[in-house]
Amino acid sequence: MIEPARPRSARGARRLSDLTWVALILSGLGLALAFMSGAGLPIAAAGTVCGLFALRRRPDDSPWPYVAVAAGSVGSMLALILAIVTAVEWLPVLPGMLLG
């Protein structure tokens, strides 16, 4: 019996690991949410960590783990700066708002 031929992937095409995909999604989401007064800080940091793990486990996925690490790092720094600015602006006003 003849076995049907399996489809081949295009030359040069490769499948990214699941960890690389998670890193890219978390880093992108963290970078987008960083503009919400620093709400994306934990998500962007998680994307950075996942990107670093993806670099160690699957170096052949390059350059995508590098992209995830860069986006996650930028998102983390931006979220941290915006969280500090928000805290400096709102902390002096907060007691007056709460007490009346």
Side-chain angles (χ1 to χ4, degrees):
M1 179 163 217
I2 299 174
E3 191 172 314
R6 294 184 181 177
R8 290 186 178 180
S9 60
R11 186 176 186 103
R14 61 183 183 270
R15 183 171 159 7
L16 295 177
S17 69
D18 292 338
L19 188 58
T20 303
W21 278 111
V22 169
L24 286 168
I25 291 168
L26 286 176
S27 294
L29 190 61
L31 184 60
L33 291 176
F35 294 100
M36 296 176 63
S37 300
L41 180 61
I43 299 170
T48 303
V49 171
C50 286
L52 290 172
F53 281 133
L55 276 173
R56 280 194 157 252
R57 291 189 181 187
R58 291 276 305 261
D60 57 325
D61 280 354
S62 189
W64 295 110
Y66 289 112
V67 171
V69 169
S73 299
V74 169
S76 295
M77 295 306 292
L78 186 61
L80 184 63
I81 290 169
L82 288 174
I84 291 171
V85 168
T86 302
V88 167
E89 289 291 321
W90 281 98
L91 283 180
V93 179
L94 195 58
M97 291 174 59
L98 294 176
L99 298 176

